[in-house]
Amino acid sequence: MMNVAVCDEDRLTLRQVVEKISHMKGTSVCEGYDNFQELIQALRSGRYQIVFLSMDWKNSCERYGLQTARQIYKISPDIKVIYMTANPQQVVEQLFLEPVNRSGFLVKPVEGEILTKYIEYFVRGGESRI
């Protein structure tokens, strides 16, 4: 069973993604965070194996999402991080220049079918990249 964290400042997206994941086979915990600091603090406990991390933050500078991604990597290079964004080209270009966990990528709005595929993949013991 996998423990999952979702981090997004858009509370509607956060609620929808957490709700979808909570009902999926193979997940025991799915918790949502609407700020980076709380997520980082929770990750230090070693509680989560998968993080869905939004890269679209209106109330923070654009680079803050990448800084959080770097912090996650320092905490545990084994945590699976799936990035979510409405601006894929900009984010993808930046992600591949950073020392970060890159386990997946979702374009917002997040579709339930692809979300399910990610969870199933990791529950089956998939490698850190899809």
Side-chain angles (χ1 to χ4, degrees), residues 106-123:
L106 293 170
V107 177
K108 292 180 182 178
V110 175
E111 293 184 25
E113 183 179 332
I114 191 73
L115 190 61
T116 301
K117 287 180 182 181
Y118 272 110
I119 295 295
E120 288 173 350
Y121 179 79
F122 291 121
V123 166

Side-chain angles (χ1 to χ4, degrees), residues 64-78:
Y64 202 62
L66 287 172
Q67 290 171 1
T68 301
R70 283 194 297 269
Q71 285 182 301
I72 293 170
Y73 183 76
K74 287 178 185 175
I75 292 168
S76 175
D78 297 324

